[in-house]
Amino acid sequence: MKKEDLQKLLNDMSLEEKIMQLVQLPGQAFEDDAAITGIAEAEVSAKVKQLAGSTLGLHGADKLRKIQEEYVKNHPHHIPLLFMLDVIHGHDTVFPCPLGQGATFNPETSKKGAQIQAKEAAADGIHVTFSPMADLVRDARWGRVVESTGEDPYLNGVMTAAMVEGYQGDNIADHDHVAACVKHFAAYGGSEAGRDYNNVELSEYALKDQYLRAYKKTVDAGVKMAMTSFNTLNGIPSSGNKWLMRDVLRKEMGFDGVLISDWGAIGEMVPWGLAADLKEAAHLAIEAGVDIDMCTESYGFNLATLIEEGKIDEKLVDEAVLRVLNLKNELGLFEDPYHGASAEKYEKLTFSEESREVARAAVRESLVLLENKENALPLNSKKISLIGPYVDEKNLQSSWAITCNADTNVTLRQAFTEAFEGTDTELRFANGCTLLDEDADLGFFHSHLDNFEADNEKLLAEALEAADFADIVIMCLGESAFQTGESTSKAEIKLPEIQLELFKKIKATGKKIITLIFNGRPLDLGNLPEESDALMICFRPGTEGGHGIADVLTGKFSPQGKLPMSFPYCVGQEPLYYNNFNTGRPKPTDRYSAFTTRYLDCPNEARYPFGYGLTYSDFEISEVTLDKAEMKKAEGISSASATPSLYADGDKIVATATVTNKGKVEATQTVQLYIRDLVGSRVRPVKELKGFKKVTLAPGESTEVSFVITEDMLAFFTLRNVFETEAGKFKVFLGFDSATENAAEFELK
Ligand code: GLC
């Protein structure tokens, strides 16, 4: 439909029809088996069902075509329904969780994954995915860090923009693409104490200079929808925060898409104490510019009254409806309400060899090797035992892969059996213990628990036997898939006690130990690093988990993943992140420094820092050289939000270093560029990631790696409350992780 015809359609719609376009129903209103990702409200009337503009949680081409056919036929203006679903890191073919994708430091990988997810979801009837999550996360206690690509604004920005490009392509009317929805706006990752639905206290400086940068990158990538977050920002729930939504998101950041609330978030302004009732909540939300009310009765039952009482102008409803109609039009739904949904196409697409290969490669890239003493890896033994609850665990996805059938995931047992088929290597497998402690609480996911009645004595005996047989033991440990994701915050971030007990008993056998960790967050690894000959972080690897891990452990591929979030010595260090401030009394290296910023019982630094990860080889990097020591400052340039190429015509400096593979095998290293602004009108982080490049080198091979430093990289939210650069000295670091001190200085003058 032509855009001008949308206005005609709007003018022709009754007030009731317009308001109902802003109402999203839970999928249960249409089908019982819809995915429940929120608190489902009361029954809805046939009338509401006939006029509501969208629904979420449903999938299935035939089912959705049938619902759509009925809906369009009965709608007074035959306006199609929007189908939305959380396709976070996989629909059928499940990719590494976003935190694992962050570890790839490869936006191309995320883009390819998103393209495949969009194809599968679109064929299955979905129009919009509630992804990517661009929340900056710094607190491992929060279960939803699994859905983020980590603690760095730059990394999150490039990764989530790539996901938007993958989901949406050049035209969302194309039947292999869906509309993307960036969430949770804004700053949900700063939720107090790492708990969901909690308060966020942030200065405008922290908000704009750190937390909003990645969302902005998705807006610049053309994301079609944004979702409000459950948290308050400095006392105002996001769904009622007019400044945040209209001034910041729409005006400063230039977002012109549809703004949807999170599930129930408009109604939750009442328990928050911002609104006395749903009518006031509806008033605050429509004023703030929230277009769609996800699953509450606020808009549907109150907007008409608010207009009749003269409390809001009908224009506010019209502008919201026009944005919703525009999204439906961009999806081509007026021409094809089914958006090409086809069971036949879906069957052909899902789990295709090509999709599996892309997913398998993503797993390999996401694995982070933290320890490898005396080159314990790659495996080099004829008698190998895999021991631990992850030997056969099928739930290798995160709890947000809601359409994933875990039976389709490749387990470690399956992959290792395949990998060593027909060789003279003998394998043994033993689960050793249950995945979870007896008293584990999985909250909403508790129904996913099984085999609690396992005979742990028997499991242990089998494990000791398997250890006795082997020259090398692979311990397959991890937190449950259902201890990560929404409403899974944890005050303790260690592995289950029962797994640590098993590890201790296997360690006592004196065998060489390779430890694999399946996790959705940074963990307190206790003494596992010291007690393991090698230790690798696997995150939530998804469908091809077993295959990708076997590919790396057998040495077919060298690991190359880098930590997207810092790993602490203990949970007491949380929130923990590398790009922090120096303070007025930075802690010197000596242990007993008095009156400096420190703990008595724990280092300040991460146990394993952001950007850290080993390969099977050994890389060296030369000192940093700059092609000049001064960058000419452009005058009179600033912007309200972090804007790319603000200084496109500005001066540049080239930073170079030579990287050499000093080891014995070909491997891929990720060279990282960090910059520090030594003095600013506000204090600046000790380092900030501003670029990275992957280099694959053969043994003995060297290559020059250069980065063009632009003035854009130096812009920040200054005391003048705009993004701009300030003259002064800067340090440029080039290294293999955020702890590098390999640096050179230049001056912006
Ligand atoms: C949930 C989540 C959000 C998700 C939405 C719809 O509560 O907070 O990330 O997209 O509901 O499922």
Side-chain angles (χ1 to χ4, degrees):
M1 184 184 286
K2 287 200 207 73
K3 251 193 150 173
E4 54 273 25
D5 294 342
L6 289 177
Q7 186 61 52
K8 278 193 214 119
L9 171 59
L10 179 74
N11 298 341
D12 209 31
M13 290 162 74
S14 69
L15 178 60
E16 183 187 42
E17 276 186 81
K18 290 193 286 188
I19 288 171
M20 291 309 292
Q21 280 298 308
L22 310 183
V23 171
Q24 179 165 90
L25 297 178
Q28 289 77 5
F30 297 91
E31 285 280 333
D32 293 342
D33 67 350
I36 301 176
T37 53
I39 303 157
E41 295 286 321
E43 282 300 301
V44 292
S45 70
K47 183 77 178 289
V48 166
K49 201 168 131 181
Q50 184 200 8
L51 294 177
S54 63
T55 184
L56 84 160
L58 293 168
H59 64 99
D62 292 341
K63 183 197 305 177
L64 270 55
R65 290 182 77 99
K66 191 160 151 284
I67 293 170
Q68 186 73 294
E69 186 183 13
E70 185 70 9
Y71 180 90
V72 169
K73 189 175 71 185
N74 296 330
H75 191 281
H77 281 87
H78 312 298
I79 298 172
L81 190 59
L82 265 179
F83 293 110
M84 305 192 194
L85 184 73
D86 293 276
V87 182
I88 308 295
H89 60 103
H91 187 55
D92 286 275
T93 312
V94 177
F95 288 78
C97 62
L99 196 61
Q101 291 183 39
T104 69
F105 273 66
N106 188 344
E108 204 40 45
T109 295
S110 282
K111 180 173 178 177
K112 274 192 253 170
Q115 282 166 337
I116 290 168
Q117 293 162 51
K119 266 189 199 161
E120 290 184 355
D124 213 20
I126 305 307
H127 303 145
V128 181
T129 177
F130 295 124
S131 176
M133 189 241 239
D135 300 341
L136 181 70
V137 295
R138 295 171 158 174
D139 194 328
R141 293 173 295 177
W142 193 38
R144 300 197 72 170
V145 302
V146 69
E147 299 170 63
S148 162
T149 49
E151 71 187 52
D152 183 77
Y154 175 82
L155 179 65
N156 291 351
V158 292
M159 299 305 285
T160 52
M163 290 176 194
V164 169
E165 288 157 18
Y167 289 129
Q168 296 188 162
D170 299 329
N171 176 2
I172 56 174
D174 173 300
H175 294 163
D176 282 344
H177 290 286
V178 295
C181 172
V182 64
K183 65 188 187 182
H184 304 84
F185 199 77
Y188 196 15
S191 201
E192 214 165 277
R195 286 209 316 273
D196 295 275
Y197 323 117
N198 206 347
N199 184 43
V200 171
E201 287 296 336
L202 278 182
S203 66
E204 191 176 356
Y205 176 42
L207 174 72
K208 291 188 173 179
D209 199 62
Q210 298 292 319
Y211 282 82
L212 296 191
R213 285 189 190 246
Y215 301 117
K216 177 65 167 55
K217 283 274 190 182
T218 64
V219 171
D220 295 340
V223 72
K224 297 295 180 187
M225 186 179 278
M227 182 187 291
T228 66
S229 58
F230 284 123
N231 57 283
T232 48
L233 179 63
N234 306 329
I236 312 280
S238 298
S239 303
N241 193 327
K242 190 173 176 181
W243 170 78
L244 184 62
M245 298 304 165
R246 287 193 185 273
D247 297 350
V248 177
L249 177 62
R250 289 201 187 278
K251 230 180 272 162
E252 291 178 9
M253 296 170 69
F255 176 69
D256 62 0
V258 171
L259 182 59
I260 188 169
S261 78
D262 201 338
W263 186 308
I266 293 178
E268 288 170 15
M269 284 194 260
V270 177
W272 266 116
L274 192 82
D277 53 31
L278 289 185
K279 182 176 165 188
E280 192 177 352
H283 189 175
L284 289 165
I286 199 75
E287 291 278 2
V290 181
D291 298 320
I292 297 179
D293 172 3
M294 187 190 290
C295 302
T296 84
E297 299 176 342
S298 309
Y299 276 14
F301 288 79
N302 294 289
L303 286 181
T305 313
L306 287 165
I307 291 169
E308 277 144 36
E309 291 172 356
K311 291 208 173 107
I312 60 170
D313 187 321
E314 188 169 339
K315 285 204 189 72
L316 284 183
V317 169
D318 289 352
E319 73 172 49
V321 177
L322 201 53
R323 282 192 285 260
V324 173
L325 294 177
N326 184 55
L327 176 60
K328 295 185 177 186
N329 195 39
E330 284 191 272
L331 281 160
L333 296 182
F334 289 102
E335 289 71 35
D336 171 8
Y338 311 114
H339 193 256
S342 144
E344 192 195 338
K345 177 181 175 187
Y346 172 72
E347 284 312 318
K348 275 203 206 102
L349 266 179
T350 53
F351 298 119
S352 70
E353 265 325 294
E354 185 230 349
S355 303
R356 281 184 175 279
E357 260 321 299
V358 173
R360 185 167 179 163
V363 173
R364 292 194 293 261
E365 268 194 309
S366 69
L367 302 173
V368 182
L369 184 62
L370 296 182
E371 298 287 347
N372 192 22
K373 297 161 192 161
E374 292 162 30
N375 294 321
L377 283 177
L379 293 169
N380 178 14
S381 160
K382 298 295 177 202
K383 298 204 303 184
I384 303 170
S385 286
L386 284 82
I387 297 173
Y390 265 91
V391 166
D392 290 315
E393 177 57 40
K394 288 180 175 299
N395 282 304
L396 301 178
Q397 75 287 355
S398 84
S399 61
W400 265 113
I402 54 181
T403 53
C404 165
N405 168 3
D407 291 338
T408 61
N409 294 337
V410 178
T411 65
L412 286 173
R413 181 196 291 263
Q414 289 165 325
F416 274 76
T417 303
E418 265 177 53
F420 288 96
E421 196 104 50
T423 71
D424 59 355
T425 298
E426 282 185 79
L427 298 177
R428 291 279 189 285
F429 303 95
N431 287 313
C433 69
T434 53
L435 200 155
L436 289 164
D437 294 318
E438 192 97 12
D439 60 354
D441 172 358
L442 292 189
F444 168 77
F445 296 109
H446 220 73
S447 59
H448 287 269
L449 281 185
D450 56 21
N451 86 342
F452 252 139
E453 293 67 46
D455 175 350
N456 277 314
E457 289 305 311
K458 180 167 168 291
L459 289 172
L460 177 60
E462 289 162 355
L464 289 169
E465 208 177 298
D468 188 43
F469 149 80
D471 299 332
I472 191 162
V473 172
I474 302 173
M475 291 303 292
C476 310
L477 309 173
E479 53 181 354
S480 157
F482 305 105
Q483 292 177 304
T484 75
E486 186 167 359
S487 196
T488 64
S489 299
K490 293 185 73 194
E492 198 45 84
I493 53 173
K494 292 184 164 79
L495 287 178
E497 197 47 45
I498 195 161
Q499 294 187 33
L500 297 175
E501 280 307 307
L502 173 66
F503 182 91
K504 248 186 242 153
K505 294 192 173 89
I506 301 301
K507 179 65 186 173
T509 66
K511 297 295 169 84
K512 190 175 264 199
I513 293 182
I514 310 292
T515 300
L516 301 180
I517 303 283
F518 291 81
N519 58 309
R521 54 164 52 90
L523 294 172
D524 168 356
L525 296 169
N527 63 355
L528 292 181
E530 287 77 13
E531 309 272 303
S532 303
D533 295 278
L535 189 143
M536 191 159 82
I537 299 296
C538 306
F539 298 104
R540 311 300 313 169
T543 303
E544 286 293 318
H547 281 152
I549 292 165
D551 289 347
V552 167
L553 260 56
T554 57
K556 266 202 277 179
F557 291 84
S558 165
Q560 55 180 287
K562 298 286 184 178
L563 290 180
M565 269 187 95
S566 307
F567 269 57
Y569 286 94
C570 73
V571 69
Q573 288 181 278
E574 298 296 330
L576 177 67
Y577 49 100
Y578 83 93
N579 40 1
N580 53 43
F581 296 132
N582 199 33
T583 78
R585 295 194 182 184
K587 185 187 161 205
T589 45
D590 74 273
R591 179 174 171 149
Y592 297 105
S593 54
F595 306 117
T596 56
T597 181
R598 55 168 298 181
Y599 303 103
L600 287 179
D601 55 355
C602 182
N604 293 356
E605 302 73 29
R607 183 170 204 180
Y608 297 102
F610 172 84
Y612 181 85
L614 302 173
T615 71
Y616 286 156
S617 199
D618 181 26
F619 284 84
E620 264 181 15
I621 188 165
S622 72
E623 288 186 359
V624 184
T625 57
L626 304 177
D627 66 347
K628 54 188 183 181
E630 285 184 8
M631 183 190 283
K632 191 167 171 8
K633 180 174 176 351
E635 293 307 335
I637 294 176
S638 69
S639 82
S641 71
T643 305
S645 59
L646 189 64
Y647 294 86
D649 307 331
D651 196 2
K652 299 174 175 41
I653 285 186
V654 178
T656 305
T658 301
V659 176
T660 305
N661 179 344
K662 308 288 279 184
K664 299 190 178 66
V665 294
E666 176 177 284
T668 300
Q669 181 57 268
T670 305
V671 185
Q672 298 154 45
L673 163 68
Y674 294 91
I675 291 181
R676 178 179 182 176
D677 184 347
L678 294 174
V679 177
S681 57
R682 298 180 197 264
V683 296
R684 305 290 298 129
V686 293
K687 272 193 193 90
E688 292 186 285
L689 183 72
K690 293 295 179 184
F692 51 82
K693 284 182 182 173
K694 290 197 166 197
V695 288
T696 301
L697 297 177
E701 190 183 0
S702 291
T703 186
E704 265 203 358
V705 180
S706 296
F707 290 91
V708 176
I709 297 172
T710 66
E711 196 170 351
D712 281 302
M713 293 181 183
L714 315 180
F716 72 101
F717 194 69
T718 68
L719 198 59
R720 292 184 340 113
N721 289 343
V722 288
F723 275 84
E724 61 185 347
T725 58
E726 292 177 343
K729 288 199 173 102
F730 292 81
K731 262 183 141 176
V732 177
F733 301 83
L734 291 183
F736 303 145
D737 60 56
S738 61
T740 181
E741 287 308 325
N742 188 31
E745 271 193 27
F746 71 89
E747 188 164 0
L748 180 66
K749 287 178 99 161

